[in-house]
């Protein structure tokens, strides 16, 4: 069982690209982050709402690994927790390597289930020029690697704070690799 730590939590009640850091956030089962614009049982991302507002919201909580922020800073970008829209910034867990269905226990009560990858959009370049390309890479086989974090749904609600432990529970095999959601 892998463990990590929450390094920051963020939310915005408006549709903003970046989300301000908070002392804590509350996750609500089946809905997402209390008070966040993306909270809801059905899709809340505007592009997805325009296509079909009745789709289930598989993007209730966005998580990004602190190690990505470090990598981006090394490339000259000024990026910190919440800047690229994540609700939970983590450390010590290779989020991108987790299979779909992995459950992350955040703090004492909250549990999210990983649904897929965030597909880096052009809004990243609106935040800082060249950022979209910086969060895309290629693996040894030439396949596209999306590094802008993972998306999840809330299975069990609870308060989440910086410093909270994260426990990773991987589902039984066979594992399904993450795809963009």
């Amino acid at each position: 069982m892998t463990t990590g730590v929450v390094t920051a939590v963020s939310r915005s009640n408006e549709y903003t690209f970046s989300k301000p850091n908070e002392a804590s956030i509350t996750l609500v089962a089946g809905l997402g982050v209390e008070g966040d614009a993306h909270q809801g049982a059905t899709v809340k991302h505007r592009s997805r709402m325009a296509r079909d507002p009745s789709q289930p919201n598989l993007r209730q909580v966005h998580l990004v690994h602190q190690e990505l922020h470090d990598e981006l800073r090394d490339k000259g970008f000024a990026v910190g927790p919440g800047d690229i829209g994540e609700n939970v910034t983590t450390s010590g867990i290779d989020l991108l390597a987790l299979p779909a269905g992995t459950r992350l226990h955040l703090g004492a009560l909250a549990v999210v289930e990983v649904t897929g990858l965030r597909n880096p959009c052009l809004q990243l370049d609106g935040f800082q020029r060249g950022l979209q390309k910086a969060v895309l890479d290629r693996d040894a086989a030439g396949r596209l690697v999306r590094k802008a974090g993972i998306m999840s749904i809330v299975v069990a609600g609870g308060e989440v704070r910086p410093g909270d432990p994260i426990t990773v529970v991987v589902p039984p095999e066979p594992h399904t690799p993450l795809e963009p959601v």
Side-chain angles (χ1 to χ4, degrees):
M1 193 175 319
T2 307
T3 60
V5 66
V6 173
T7 60
V9 293
S10 311
R11 71 182 171 106
S12 177
N13 61 358
E14 299 177 9
Y15 284 99
T16 57
F17 179 73
S18 297
K19 296 180 187 249
N21 296 155
E22 302 280 344
S24 69
I25 58 173
T26 301
L27 302 187
V28 180
L31 295 176
V33 179
E34 184 175 82
D36 192 85
H38 295 106
Q39 177 185 0
T42 57
V43 294
K44 299 301 173 203
H45 285 77
R46 289 186 269 190
S47 63
R48 286 169 167 71
M49 288 174 22
R51 286 194 301 263
D52 179 3
S54 67
Q55 296 175 71
N57 186 0
L58 302 178
R59 302 165 57 99
Q60 293 174 356
V61 180
H62 177 201
L63 299 97
V64 168
H65 47 298
Q66 177 66 45
E67 294 82 358
L68 175 63
H69 294 163
D70 299 341
E71 175 187 329
L72 292 171
R73 273 196 300 279
D74 289 347
K75 292 180 178 180
F77 294 95
V79 178
D83 283 349
I84 59 174
E86 76 269 22
N87 301 110
V88 178
T89 309
T90 69
S91 180
I93 298 171
D94 186 354
L95 297 176
L96 306 178
L98 299 174
T102 297
R103 290 195 173 191
L104 303 174
H105 295 251
L106 308 170
L109 300 173
V111 180
V112 297
E113 184 173 300
V114 177
T115 56
L117 295 168
R118 176 190 184 185
N119 199 22
C121 65
L122 199 52
Q123 286 183 322
L124 289 161
D125 282 350
F127 178 68
Q128 286 180 44
R129 186 180 177 106
L131 190 56
Q132 182 182 23
K133 184 177 179 185
V135 297
L136 294 170
D137 208 348
R138 297 274 174 189
D139 66 14
R143 293 179 297 252
L144 186 63
V145 176
R146 295 166 177 89
K147 301 188 289 187
I150 61 172
M151 307 309 276
S152 64
I153 58 171
V154 181
V155 177
E159 193 170 24
V160 181
R161 295 182 173 93
D164 279 349
I166 303 170
T167 303
V168 178
V169 180
V170 178
E173 292 195 32
H175 293 154
T176 303
L178 295 179
E179 295 291 332
V181 292

